[in-house]
Amino acid sequence: MCSPGRKVGIMGGTFDPVHLGHLILAETALDAEGLDEVRFIPSGHSYFKDSRQDKVSSGEDRLAMTRLAVADNPAFTVSDIEIERSGNTYTFETLEALRMLEPDTEFYFIAGADSILAMRTWKDPARIFSACTVLAAVRETADSAALQEEIRALERDFDARIRLLPMKNIQISSTDIRESIRNGHSVKYQLPDAVIAYIEKRGLYRG
Ligand code: ATP
Ligand code: MG
C-alpha cells in the first residue's frame, strides 16, 4: 500500500454533487502525470460556502455520492478525512496529515482554474504549496492570461511547484446541476446514473 514513490493525486471539492467535470479532471491528471491513484476528498465544513443560498448537503450525502461516482474505477478512491474532522477544515492541514500518514507518497493537488485563482486566499497557502505539487487544469480555449499570470505569481510568492494540466473545457458545474434539479430539468449525462439515482432517492436539491 505504501510502496515508496507512489504518486497520489488529491481531488478536493465540495462535490455537491460530484459530476463528470470532476471525473474527467481526475482522469486527465492520472493519465498525464502517471499517478497511481486519485483520492477524492469531499470537504468538511467550508467557511467559503457558508454564504451559499442553498445549504451545502450533508457530509454523509456528499461522501455517498462521491463513492458511487468512483466505484467502477480502481484507481479512484474516496477519503472521509475532511468530513470526519470537526470544525473548519483546511487544505494545508489535510495535506500535512496525509504526509504524516504516508511519508513515502508524493502528493499532487489537482485544481481547476477557479481553485488556482482562489488559493492564495486559502488558509496558510505557503504550507499548502510546500506539502504538494499542484496540477493546474488549464483550458487552452477558455482560460485567460490572468490564470497563467497567477500561476507564475504563486511560484514566485510561495515557491509553489505547479504543473500545467491541459484539459478540455467541460461546461458542467455543481451549481448548474442543483439549479436544473430545482427547476425539474434532466441532468442525465452530466453525472453518473448511480449518483442521479441517489439524488432522487434522497430528494436532494429539490429546494
Ligand atoms: P460549485 O458549482 O458548487 O462551486 P463545482 O462544480 O465548481 O461546484 P467543486 O466541488 O467546487 O465543483 O470543484 C472541485 C474541483 O473541481 C475544483 O478544483 C474545481 O476547479 C474543479 N472543477 C469543477 N468543475 C469542473 C469542470 N467542469 N472542469 C474542470 N474542473 C472542474
Ligand atoms: Mg466551484
Side-chain angles (χ1 to χ4, degrees):
M1 217 187 95
C2 286
S3 53
R6 270 189 102 235
K7 296 166 77 171
V8 173
I10 298 298
M11 266 294 292
T14 316
F15 303 130
D16 191 20
V18 63
H19 56 66
L20 294 196
H22 301 132
L23 295 168
I24 292 168
L25 173 57
E27 184 67 16
T28 302
L30 190 87
D31 176 62
E33 296 290 331
L35 305 179
D36 297 291
E37 173 189 341
V38 175
R39 204 171 299 169
F40 288 68
I41 307 188
S43 60
H45 182 74
S46 163
Y47 58 101
F48 275 123
K49 297 210 169 174
D50 272 354
S51 55
R52 210 177 83 186
Q53 277 197 334
D54 49 337
K55 283 244 296 285
V56 176
S57 303
S58 72
E60 198 187 5
D61 281 331
R62 291 181 294 112
L63 205 51
M65 292 189 282
T66 309
R67 287 193 171 124
L68 288 167
V70 308
D72 65 354
N73 188 335
F76 288 0
T77 61
V78 180
S79 164
D80 64 1
I81 184 172
E82 290 206 355
I83 301 267
E84 288 300 310
R85 206 185 299 142
S86 58
N88 276 333
T89 54
Y90 299 112
T91 299
F92 84 88
E93 290 175 334
T94 301
L95 290 168
E96 289 179 358
L98 292 173
R99 282 174 55 114
M100 292 274 284
L101 291 166
E102 294 161 62
D104 296 330
T105 296
E106 281 175 58
F107 289 101
Y108 293 79
F109 186 78
I110 303 166
D114 54 321
S115 294
I116 294 293
L117 290 172
M119 274 179 98
R120 69 169 61 239
T121 70
W122 295 1
K123 193 163 167 68
D124 233 324
R127 284 169 77 174
I128 299 177
F129 293 116
S130 75
C132 66
T133 298
V134 174
L135 303 179
V138 288
R139 296 157 297 187
E140 276 131 359
T141 48
D143 283 325
S144 54
L147 179 67
Q148 303 276 353
E149 205 163 297
E150 176 61 4
I151 288 171
R152 280 190 292 274
L154 292 171
E155 288 169 337
R156 190 184 59 226
D157 298 345
F158 300 104
D159 257 330
R161 284 154 288 154
I162 304 183
R163 297 171 58 84
L164 300 184
L165 195 64
M167 192 183 150
K168 302 218 168 62
N169 187 15
I170 314 285
Q171 297 259 37
I172 299 175
S173 80
S174 302
T175 301
D176 284 349
I177 290 171
R178 292 192 302 273
E179 190 179 312
S180 293
I181 294 171
R182 198 177 315 120
N183 295 325
H185 293 299
S186 167
V187 292
K188 193 166 169 65
Y189 307 122
Q190 297 188 57
L191 61 174
D193 283 341
V195 179
I196 297 178
Y198 182 92
I199 289 169
E200 284 170 358
K201 187 181 77 187
R202 299 272 300 131
L204 301 180
Y205 314 125
R206 296 249 189 81

